[in-house]
């Protein structure tokens, strides 16, 4: 059973905007923390942003000021707003969820997460 399902990926030009969505199955509704990860051909899966409940948000330095994570709790949908796109944002983006209370740094570590989507590709061209 797919626990999380991403959508909204696609192609964009440098400087443009994309919004990714991630719908969670009922089993993920009580997850304590959520995140987005990116994986490109050149790099392993890396944390983009993670949030624990209504609390701390940890953004990767590369996306600070450009990307915003948000969540519709009632519908169990996680969003990632990607502003001012750059070619280096090109990757497959995965949403993830987990239970427990990871520390702030762990929010960007794939090993902290229990549930994963299958990813949605984002390609940014200049």
């Amino acid at each position: 059973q797919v626990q999380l399902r991403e959508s909204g990926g696609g192609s964009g030009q440098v400087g443009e905007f994309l919004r990714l969505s991630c719908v969670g199955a009922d089993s993920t509704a009580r997850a304590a923390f959520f995140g987005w990860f990116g994986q490109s051909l050149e790099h392993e899966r890396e944390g983009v942003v993670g949030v624990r409940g209504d609390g701390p948000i940890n953004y990767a330095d590369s996306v600070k000021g450009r990307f915003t994570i948000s969540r519709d709790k009632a519908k169990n949908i996680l969003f990632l707003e990607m502003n001012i796109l750059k070619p280096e944002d090109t990757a497959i983006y995965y949403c993830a969820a987990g239970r427990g209370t990871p520390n702030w740094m762990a929010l960007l570590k794939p090993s902290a997460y229990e549930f994963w989507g299958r990813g949605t590709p984002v390609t940014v061209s200049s």
Side-chain angles (χ1 to χ4, degrees), residues 6 17-19 24 41 56 66 73 82 87 93 98-100 125:
E6 303 91 342
F17 164 86
L18 282 175
R19 188 173 82 155
L41 293 176
R66 299 190 299 120
K73 294 180 184 178
M82 309 170 68
Y93 285 80
R99 294 176 287 191
S125 55

Side-chain angles (χ1 to χ4, degrees), residues 12-16 61-64 66-67 82-90 93 122-126:
Q13 298 287 321
V14 169
E16 290 186 341
D61 289 342
S62 60
V63 306
K64 283 180 181 176
R66 299 190 299 120
F67 290 11
M82 309 170 68
N83 290 286
I84 316 174
L85 289 170
K86 299 179 178 181
E88 51 264 42
D89 296 328
T90 296
Y93 285 80
V122 170
T123 302
V124 182
S125 55
S126 57

Side-chain angles (χ1 to χ4, degrees), residues 98-115:
R99 294 176 287 191
T101 54
N103 61 35
W104 186 74
M105 293 299 294
L107 290 173
L108 293 182
K109 296 185 183 299
S111 58
Y113 291 80
E114 180 178 354
F115 304 104

Side-chain angles (χ1 to χ4, degrees), residues 10-82:
S11 299
Q13 298 287 321
V14 169
E16 290 186 341
F17 164 86
L18 282 175
R19 188 173 82 155
L20 307 184
S21 301
C22 174
V23 178
D26 290 344
S27 56
T28 64
R30 293 183 180 272
F33 58 99
F34 302 85
W36 287 95
F37 290 79
Q39 186 168 7
S40 64
L41 293 176
E42 296 84 12
H43 299 99
E44 296 181 348
R45 194 169 299 188
E46 298 177 327
V48 174
V49 57
V51 58
R52 192 176 72 208
D54 294 324
I57 300 175
N58 191 356
Y59 288 97
D61 289 342
S62 60
V63 306
K64 283 180 181 176
R66 299 190 299 120
F67 290 11
T68 303
I69 189 172
S70 61
R71 182 170 174 243
D72 183 329
K73 294 180 184 178
K75 297 180 180 178
N76 196 19
I77 302 175
L78 189 70
F79 299 100
L80 181 67
E81 294 186 354
M82 309 170 68

